[in-house]
Amino acid sequence: MKNSLTFTPLFLAIAATIVPFAHAADTTPTDGFVEGSHLNINTRNYYMNRDRRDIHTDDSKEWGQGFIGTFESGYTQGTVGFGLDAHAMLGLKLDGGGGTDGSSILPYGSTDGSGKAPGSFSTAGGTLKMRAFDTELKAGDLFLNNPVIAGGMTRMLPQTFRGVSLSNHSFDGWMLEGGQASFTKLYNQSGHRRIGTSYGALPSNTDSQHMNWAGVSFSGIPGLTSNLYASELKDVWHQYYYDLDYTYALNDLVSLNPGLHYYHTQDTGQSLLGGIDNNTYSLHFTVGVGHHSVTAAYQRVNGNTPFDYISQGDSVYLDNSQQYSDFNGPNERSWKLKYAYDFAGLGLPGLTSAVSYISGKTDLTKVDPQSRGYSAWYSADGKDAKHWERDIDLKYVVQGGKAKDLAVRLQWATNRGSNGYSAVDRDVDEYRVIVDYPINVF
């Protein structure tokens, strides 16, 4: 039986609550349309090498240069203020194609039939916005970042969404938001498309029409944060999310940080991906001692489908979502140990590092081989399917001078799976080199 809860009542309840909250704070925008304007340009140089170790095919090696310009205006004077945001993105191919494409940095294929990624791709968009008291309404091309709909920011160019959003900050420590998105611009494409899913296979010529979401965030107690969200990907699923994170400082040197993330996903409407009844959670505990920290995490997927989220999105707020794998297979259990060090302790501020090891085990024989969207996960040999991943992350941010805020990041992931797991995950070594240089024009 499908979940009797529906998204619409929750969305309407939160939206209705936001309006009275707006009258609680008697403030008006004062920055001005021009005076409050900002223009920033981020240049991102991105290299990815995905070395497939267990199949006889060419590796994916792509290198590109991205430019992301974002303009944000202030608001016109008065009780109700109006503004405009705009952005433009350009991606240039420096290397890749001819059998080495497909890393997801550059567009797949080309219009000339060569199979190579085009030499460049670009996009632009705008957003109209309105602010009254502490409530803000936006309509147009949106940069979104919450646990149920977050634009992918882990490639050369970011992902955006076309729709409307509403947020309110009337009470200290509280934020309420909601919205609807009908289209997305994927991070390695120029045009817009309907919103799909990362791990499910929607039927041919079938797309979800739109996505609704609503949520509330709390950060009113020092060291504690909590979020509650609900979303509906029309005719695919209802997804609900809750988290709780607390950092307690024992003294100036030692801190403790326990945390919980939980998702429930249930099919809805036409159930385009078939039946879904999935509960996924992760728990972590971090001990910080000076510039060192050690994290232990446990993650569990309860359900015969994987934990899924929107295509290319970063809306997977789980502790064991790593550089290569999300450790989100059907019925998967995974454990992680992570060590991080901030080199400011050795007099090198701006240099940080992290090393992680994650091991997962799942039973892929329980997957329905007739599932509309997830049959590819089924494996007759996957009774005790296992895989592991090792990640190394090194980042340096220039602290001063003309190159201030220039960031260089090196990432290396190694993932290995058993024979039963190879149906959905390959043996891969993946290297990334990312150089960001933000420019504040005004």
Side-chain angles (χ1 to χ4, degrees):
M1 179 180 295
K2 292 183 180 179
N3 195 322
S4 60
L5 293 174
T6 60
F7 172 83
T8 304
L10 176 60
F11 177 75
L12 293 177
I14 291 181
T17 306
I18 288 177
V19 175
F21 281 178
H23 298 283
D26 188 17
T27 60
T28 57
T30 59
D31 48 5
F33 184 92
V34 176
E35 295 83 354
S37 296
H38 303 280
L39 174 62
N40 297 284
I41 299 174
N42 186 57
T43 66
R44 169 168 281 194
N45 190 279
Y46 207 120
Y47 172 77
M48 180 184 287
N49 182 331
R50 189 169 282 172
D51 182 2
R52 299 183 174 94
R53 305 298 297 270
D54 63 339
I55 57 176
H56 300 289
T57 186
D58 292 328
D59 300 332
S60 295
K61 301 176 184 178
E62 293 183 323
W63 182 26
Q65 176 64 54
F67 300 90
I68 307 104
T70 56
F71 169 79
E72 296 182 356
S73 79
Y75 286 90
T76 59
Q77 299 290 334
T79 301
V80 179
F82 296 89
L84 173 67
D85 294 344
H87 68 265
M89 307 182 201
L90 172 65
L92 302 176
K93 181 178 74 172
L94 301 180
D95 190 22
T100 64
D101 59 349
S103 78
S104 72
I105 297 300
L106 303 172
Y108 297 119
S110 64
T111 58
D112 61 9
S114 66
K116 297 182 179 180
S120 66
F121 64 106
S122 61
T123 187
T127 306
L128 297 175
K129 56 186 182 180
M130 179 180 70
R131 187 173 71 181
F133 303 101
D134 291 321
T135 299
E136 184 176 55
L137 174 67
K138 292 184 177 182
D141 294 296
L142 309 171
F143 294 91
L144 298 172
N145 186 27
N146 66 55
V148 293
I149 180 168
M153 302 291 289
T154 56
R155 297 298 190 272
M156 186 171 68
L157 299 179
Q159 180 183 13
T160 61
F161 299 90
R162 183 164 289 172
V164 296
S165 68
L166 183 70
S167 62
N168 176 268
H169 297 81
S170 289
F171 294 110
D172 290 341
W174 293 89
M175 188 277 288
L176 293 91
E177 69 164 324
Q180 181 182 95
S182 298
F183 296 91
T184 181
K185 194 287 297 179
L186 300 178
Y187 49 58
N188 60 342
Q189 301 292 326
S190 293
H192 287 75
R193 55 173 287 182
R194 293 289 187 176
I195 299 172
T197 66
S198 290
Y199 290 92
L202 289 169
S204 300
N205 302 317
T206 303
D207 294 297
S208 176
Q209 295 302 301
H210 58 259
M211 183 171 182
N212 302 316
W213 76 93
V216 56
S217 298
F218 175 73
S219 57
I221 299 176
L224 186 144
T225 61
S226 186
N227 296 276
L228 176 64
Y229 276 80
S231 68
E232 177 193 37
L233 188 57
K234 183 174 172 58
D235 289 326
V236 180
W237 67 52
H238 288 140
Q239 192 167 79
Y240 306 91
Y241 172 83
Y242 175 73
D243 71 30
L244 183 66
D245 191 271
Y246 181 61
T247 300
Y248 176 70
L250 290 175
N251 50 50
D252 292 339
L253 185 65
V254 180
S255 65
L256 306 177
N257 169 227
L260 160 72
H261 303 269
Y262 171 78
Y263 284 93
H264 172 67
T265 309
Q266 185 83 44
D267 63 283
T268 185
Q270 298 182 36
S271 300
L272 296 178
L273 291 179
I276 303 172
D277 186 5
N278 186 291
N279 292 284
T280 299
Y281 66 89
S282 67
L283 301 165
H284 74 260
F285 189 82
T286 300
V287 178
V289 180
H291 295 90
H292 306 263
S293 69
V294 176
T295 300
Y298 173 74
Q299 185 167 301
R300 180 67 187 263
V301 179
N302 289 310
N304 294 329
T305 60
F307 168 74
D308 204 355
Y309 51 94
I310 61 173
S311 294
Q312 293 193 355
D314 285 343
S315 47
V316 48
Y317 283 38
L318 294 170
D319 289 297
N320 291 358
S321 177
Q322 299 299 123
Q323 177 179 325
Y324 182 74
S325 176
D326 289 319
F327 288 85
N328 62 327
N331 303 292
E332 182 159 8
R333 294 170 294 168
S334 58
W335 300 261
K336 177 171 77 172
L337 188 63
K338 176 182 178 181
Y339 169 73
Y341 181 71
D342 186 339
F343 283 84
L346 295 177
L348 295 171
L351 181 61
T352 56
S353 64
V355 179
S356 304
Y357 179 83
I358 312 91
S359 177
K361 180 179 180 180
T362 183
D363 182 357
L364 298 177
T365 65
K366 293 183 178 180
V367 178
D368 180 5
Q370 305 302 320
S371 170
R372 291 188 193 177
Y374 301 104
S375 59
W377 284 79
Y378 174 78
S379 173
D381 299 322
K383 177 66 176 178
D384 294 306
K386 301 176 182 179
H387 69 132
W388 59 265
E389 180 169 333
R390 179 182 63 242
D391 294 336
I392 300 175
D393 195 323
L394 187 66
K395 183 177 181 179
Y396 177 66
V397 180
V398 177
Q399 302 295 293
K402 294 183 178 180
K404 187 177 185 297
D405 296 327
L406 172 71
V408 180
R409 187 174 187 181
L410 309 177
Q411 294 179 289
W412 175 30
T414 298
N415 188 280
R416 297 289 184 269
S418 67
N419 291 334
Y421 212 91
S422 62
V424 292
D425 219 351
R426 300 184 174 115
D427 291 348
V428 169
D429 288 341
E430 185 180 272
Y431 310 89
R432 302 182 188 183
V433 181
I434 309 165
V435 181
D436 284 301
Y437 184 49
I439 303 170
N440 182 17
V441 181
F442 61 80

